Amino acid sequence: MELLGPFLRLRRAVAAEAVAVARERATPDEVAELEALAAELATAQGAALAEGNLRFARRVVELADNLPMLLLFNTVASTLRARPDILEATLADVAGVRASFAAVAQLIDAHRALPPGVDARTLVRAALEAVDAAALARIEATPPSEEA
């Protein structure tokens, strides 16, 4: 568990940078594709939501067009798949997760103005800090499973 905090910080950093760079680089067609994926995931549940979340995040990183960032994402995704307890904890607010897809797609659309003094990195980092704090609290509140 002592690696969980640093791992979630890494995830936040990769996500914030990916969204910010994707906002600079994504074409209108790519934004439309991301919005379609967000609409598809708007009703996802369970395993479909978990995999859809990773698929959506991967697409955002791909739109950033940064190979080292994609490699870091692959590490994050592999860790989440290997630790379903962490993935489940970060997806516990199903309605919030579903809404986040459309919000991120809109944030990447560079034609949508951001409030003065606000940037994409800050918005994503702040949103994920709240999600991660709730996830850590859920994980810490869950008693460790007993092994036979």
Side-chain angles (χ1 to χ4, degrees):
M1 271 316 178
E2 63 190 64
L3 290 179
L4 184 56
F7 170 76
L8 292 174
R9 278 192 295 280
L10 171 66
R11 181 181 74 108
R12 286 192 301 268
V14 171
E17 187 65 15
V19 169
V21 175
R23 181 175 169 83
E24 296 169 2
R25 295 186 176 182
T27 67
D29 287 343
E30 290 168 331
V31 170
E33 173 194 331
L34 198 59
E35 288 172 337
L37 179 55
E40 175 188 328
L41 296 172
T43 58
Q45 296 183 44
L49 180 61
E51 277 306 310
N53 183 55
L54 293 174
R55 194 169 93 221
F56 186 88
R58 171 178 290 286
R59 187 64 188 126
V60 170
V61 173
E62 289 170 349
L63 291 176
D65 194 28
N66 182 311
L67 181 59
M69 195 181 302
L70 183 58
L71 295 173
L72 279 173
F73 171 80
N74 288 340
T75 299
V76 169
S78 294
T79 301
L80 289 172
R81 283 188 179 106
R83 291 289 310 271
D85 58 322
I86 297 171
L87 184 57
E88 288 171 20
T90 62
L91 299 176
D93 177 8
V94 174
V97 171
R98 289 177 181 159
S100 73
F101 299 128
V104 169
Q106 290 174 3
L107 185 56
I108 289 173
D109 185 353
H111 293 98
R112 296 177 195 240
L114 294 176
V118 175
D119 64 61
R121 283 176 189 86
T122 303
L123 289 173
V124 171
R125 194 172 296 115
L128 285 177
E129 282 173 359
V131 168
D132 291 350
L136 282 169
R138 278 185 204 89
I139 290 169
E140 289 171 0
T142 304
S145 60
E146 295 182 31
E147 302 203 10

